[in-house]
Amino acid sequence: MTIATTDNSTGAEVSSDKPQVERTGAERGVAQIKAEYQIQRRAEPTPRIEPASDAADAPASGEGAVEAAGQGAGKRSGGQHQNRRQKSKAARAERGIRLCGKTAVGEVCPLGDKCTYSHDVAGYLAEKEPDLGPSCVNIDVYGKCRYGLRCRYAGAHPAAGDEKAESASQFYAHNDVGKDMQIRLRKKQIRFPRSDEFEAIWEREAKEGICDVVKGPSDEAREKRQRTRRGQIDYRGKTYLAPLTTVGNLPFRRICKGYGVDITCSEMAIAGNLLQGQQSEWALVKRHKSEAIFGVQLAGNSASVLGKAAELISSECEVDFIDLNMGCPIDMVANNGGGSALLSQPRKIGRMVRTMHYVADCDITVKIRTGVLKNENVAHKLVPQFEDWGAALVTLHGRSRQQRYTKQANWPYIGECKQAASRVPLFGGGDVMSWEEYWDHLETEKQSDGIMIGRGALVKPWVFKEIEERRVWDISATERLDMMKEFAAFGLEHWGTDSQGVSNTRRYLLEWQSFLHRYIPAGILEVLPQRMNDRPPAFVGRNDLETLMASSLARDWIKISEMILGPTPDDFTFVPKHKSNSYED
């Protein structure tokens, strides 16, 4: 096996040949680390972080909350995210002056005295926290910063008269539908002619007995309109980054694009929330210009609602496909009849897929699990029907809803389902985080037409580069820190360079670090590759930074964030959002 390594002192990349050692029964489930890097002490408890390889893997309130150091590790916190936002707003109000956005950029506020924000520039600057760095990403990329005096990097802004020429292209991302559309949605002023047409056809043909309730309207009726964006993508053999709740944000997808992933997808969006014009939900569907093949994933429990959301996305957004989430195992989604709960209702699934296929001009894809219960697989029965219903791609996670992320993904069963798919490509997913595993499933075992990678990409996003080059990359700690700095720059560009934008960037960086710390450097492993479910013994890295990055303590993740984004506020705490059970038997 060829391993590309980076010399930690020179940064030069070197290659070496290293045999892959067969694991014994006693060694399975434990990462084999070279003796000189192991330490004889009790390992710190690993925070229980929810693997998010299904797009809808947001935890129920309070699950697995682990406070930052000194705040009571393991303490549960009910409804922490809603309360966190409320407390954050209150804290900002108490800390000092909140400057008006118009005033911050030197413009006259049209609201005047009615504005709820302050116009006291001198007072704001007297209380403003120190700048965080010598350069502003907005100035560097666009030549102008929309945050003005509120920017935490305002010292890097050019003085009046010395401004750079503003970039000719201020374009950042597709699919920003704007406030007017969201307001019209909230007022129910948007019409859905294709969805209404489908409902009429469905009811008429069902009454006349032309088609059964599972299959929906006839192909002739469905194909009256010409599709301009459908069937243009050959999915087979392409690498696919799974939709990932919270951590699968646009800046993270840009990181993975930099490592060569082919297909990206938005975080899961709730169809009903989109139709209600919720700004936070519409923010999820934004597409960066680097995302060459991009889709939006929808979740819901109603064919009518999903159809309207798909029609709206298809007409208002630039997408290559719309994915229907039927893989989310968490209670707050499944108990409402969505996600993996749909797998026990094939008639309902049929109507959903048919509806979305009829109203959208782009491909419709589906994400499923093996079934609801661990010993009652149903995916092999559904796959042939998805072909008839119009799906362009089926992605199958090799576990049931009941299993969530315990046990090993059932790749032999994924292979069986591939044989059941005569026309539509079938992608598998589960536990893949190395190029050896990837190509073994695709070429040796021929178990799928492609692989969707979720947790593996969170732990080591450079896995896509390894897959393309078919080699292990022993990435150095410095290179990993540079990767996180790039994420922070993407985050500041996306969420903003004011205090709130910096806070959001830091928190999403910390959420990602709750997965990143699980990476074991290839150069200290006795046995390659690292497996998803292998527990690492306590170890030290090849330098202090590598050791720090392997820490499972939130306080150490915060230290790393401070290397990149400056010091945190005195009252800052971090609660990882996801609970992990990927090591459980």
Side-chain angles (χ1 to χ4, degrees):
M1 177 186 298
T2 300
I3 307 175
T5 63
T6 304
D7 188 288
N8 287 293
S9 59
T10 66
E13 192 175 84
V14 297
S15 295
S16 62
D17 289 329
K18 183 172 185 175
Q20 183 171 0
V21 180
E22 189 67 28
R23 298 164 187 255
T24 66
E27 294 170 339
R28 292 193 183 100
V30 178
Q32 302 299 296
I33 294 176
K34 294 176 181 177
E36 60 264 37
Y37 296 104
Q38 295 188 35
I39 52 179
Q40 299 302 316
R41 66 175 177 81
R42 185 176 179 181
E44 298 288 357
T46 301
R48 300 174 62 78
I49 307 149
E50 178 71 9
S53 55
D54 284 323
D57 289 347
S61 296
E63 278 195 340
V66 180
E67 296 284 355
Q71 300 297 320
K75 181 180 178 181
R76 293 179 181 269
S77 174
Q80 70 253 31
H81 300 293
Q82 181 177 0
N83 292 339
R84 177 192 295 161
R85 287 192 292 269
Q86 293 171 349
K87 292 176 181 177
S88 177
K89 289 179 181 179
R92 286 199 305 274
E94 292 173 1
R95 274 201 291 267
I97 297 173
R98 301 170 65 192
L99 190 65
C100 169
K102 292 289 187 181
T103 303
V105 295
E107 298 179 7
V108 177
C109 177
L111 297 178
D113 294 338
K114 295 181 179 179
C115 181
T116 58
Y117 293 87
S118 173
H119 299 151
D120 180 5
V121 173
Y124 172 80
L125 292 178
E127 294 186 2
K128 185 184 177 184
E129 296 173 299
D131 278 1
L132 296 174
S135 64
C136 171
V137 65
N138 291 316
I139 296 294
D140 294 342
V141 175
Y142 303 111
K144 183 178 180 179
C145 179
R146 65 184 184 275
Y147 295 97
L149 296 174
R150 294 190 303 167
C151 177
R152 294 299 306 278
Y153 304 84
H157 294 183
D162 295 334
E163 295 92 345
K164 299 178 183 178
E166 187 173 341
S167 172
S169 175
Q170 286 286 312
F171 177 77
Y172 170 66
H174 299 280
N175 304 343
D176 187 354
V177 299
K179 292 184 179 179
D180 289 343
M181 172 63 76
Q182 293 167 20
I183 292 172
R184 292 174 63 200
L185 284 166
R186 288 195 285 270
K187 292 182 176 180
K188 300 187 183 303
Q189 295 175 346
I190 304 296
R191 297 179 60 83
F192 302 94
R194 292 184 181 181
S195 297
D196 295 340
E197 179 182 321
F198 178 88
E199 290 296 321
I201 294 173
W202 181 282
E203 293 177 5
R204 185 182 71 248
E205 294 192 354
K207 289 179 181 178
E208 296 174 358
I210 298 175
C211 67
D212 60 45
V213 140
V214 175
K215 290 187 176 181
S218 64
D219 289 340
E220 180 180 356
R222 191 186 65 241
E223 296 300 335
K224 284 182 179 179
R225 297 188 315 275
Q226 294 295 317
R227 311 299 184 183
T228 58
R229 290 180 287 162
R230 178 169 294 170
Q232 303 298 311
I233 302 171
D234 182 7
Y235 296 95
R236 290 179 172 86
K238 289 181 170 59
T239 51
Y240 190 167
L241 173 65
L244 303 161
T245 294
T246 304
V247 282
N249 48 67
L250 187 148
F252 176 73
R253 299 199 303 269
R254 290 182 66 181
I255 291 291
C256 292
K257 282 300 299 181
Y259 288 120
V261 69
D262 297 315
I263 305 172
T264 55
C265 190
S266 75
E267 300 176 61
M268 181 202 70
I270 302 297
N273 293 347
L274 292 175
L275 296 180
Q276 292 170 10
Q278 292 186 15
Q279 182 179 358
S280 59
E281 211 73 21
W282 277 102
L284 301 177
V285 308
K286 289 184 179 179
R287 171 186 189 170
H288 190 260
K289 56 187 177 182
S290 66
E291 298 182 89
I293 304 176
F294 174 80
V296 168
Q297 188 180 68
L298 298 178
N301 59 9
S302 164
S304 175
V305 172
L306 284 164
K308 290 177 181 178
E311 181 176 352
L312 191 61
I313 292 289
S314 177
S315 62
E316 298 295 330
C317 300
E318 292 192 24
V319 296
D320 299 293
F321 62 91
I322 299 174
D323 187 67
L324 174 58
N325 183 314
M326 291 180 284
C328 176
I330 65 169
D331 292 342
M332 71 177 187
V333 174
N335 287 351
N336 286 324
S340 54
L342 291 168
L343 296 174
S344 61
Q345 305 175 72
R347 297 172 71 86
K348 190 172 186 177
I349 293 174
R351 182 165 183 173
M352 287 178 171
V353 178
R354 284 278 185 169
T355 302
M356 294 172 68
H357 181 255
Y358 185 88
V359 302
D361 291 328
C362 59
D363 287 345
I364 299 299
T365 66
V366 296
K367 173 73 166 66
I368 63 173
R369 284 181 169 245
T370 59
V372 176
L373 302 177
K374 64 181 180 180
N375 296 321
E376 297 182 14
N377 295 334
V378 299
H380 63 287
K381 300 177 183 178
L382 291 171
V383 168
Q385 296 184 81
F386 284 129
E387 295 181 338
D388 295 334
W389 294 331
L393 171 69
V394 177
T395 303
L396 171 61
H397 182 97
R399 295 182 177 90
S400 66
R401 180 204 170 193
Q402 186 181 38
Q403 289 175 296
R404 294 178 65 104
Y405 293 90
T406 58
K407 304 293 184 182
Q408 299 289 325
N410 191 345
W411 275 94
Y413 180 66
I414 293 174
E416 293 177 24
C417 291
K418 180 182 181 298
Q419 299 304 313
S422 60
R423 301 186 305 276
V424 66
L426 185 136
F427 276 39
D431 301 339
V432 173
M433 64 179 298
S434 70
W435 72 266
E436 299 98 324
E437 294 166 312
Y438 183 93
W439 290 113
D440 182 58
H441 292 312
L442 254 65
E443 294 184 342
T444 306
E445 301 297 333
K446 302 186 184 302
Q447 293 167 324
S448 65
D449 297 301
I451 294 176
M452 175 184 280
I453 301 179
R455 286 180 298 159
L458 290 172
V459 176
K460 46 180 287 190
W462 56 92
V463 67
F464 299 110
K465 181 177 180 179
E466 292 185 334
I467 289 168
E468 181 182 2
E469 300 178 357
R470 300 192 184 219
R471 65 180 178 90
V472 175
W473 181 15
D474 187 14
I475 186 172
S476 72
T478 302
E479 288 171 318
R480 290 161 63 196
L481 184 63
D482 288 341
M483 174 187 68
M484 286 188 269
K485 288 179 179 177
E486 185 175 38
F487 173 88
F490 292 160
L492 294 171
E493 186 181 356
H494 183 62
W495 289 299
T497 54
D498 61 345
S499 292
Q500 186 60 41
V502 172
S503 176
N504 287 337
T505 300
R506 188 189 305 276
R507 199 163 294 280
Y508 284 111
L509 175 62
L510 290 169
E511 293 285 2
W512 182 23
Q513 284 180 262
S514 69
F515 289 91
L516 270 177
H517 84 277
R518 288 181 50 182
Y519 171 69
I520 305 173
I524 73 172
L525 280 170
E526 192 71 51
V527 179
L528 289 170
Q530 177 185 355
R531 305 285 183 182
M532 179 66 67
N533 297 320
D534 284 356
R535 297 173 183 268
F539 69 90
V540 294
R542 292 164 291 189
N543 54 48
D544 290 342
L545 181 58
E546 195 166 75
T547 302
L548 181 65
M549 287 181 169
S551 173
S552 61
L553 297 178
R555 64 166 174 258
D556 289 330
W557 306 341
I558 293 173
K559 286 180 184 177
I560 295 173
S561 80
E562 290 181 325
M563 296 178 188
I564 301 169
L565 292 166
T568 60
D570 293 338
D571 60 348
F572 181 83
T573 59
F574 172 64
V575 182
K577 183 175 181 179
H578 296 288
K579 172 185 173 183
S580 174
N581 53 9
S582 58
Y583 287 140
E584 293 180 4
D585 297 327

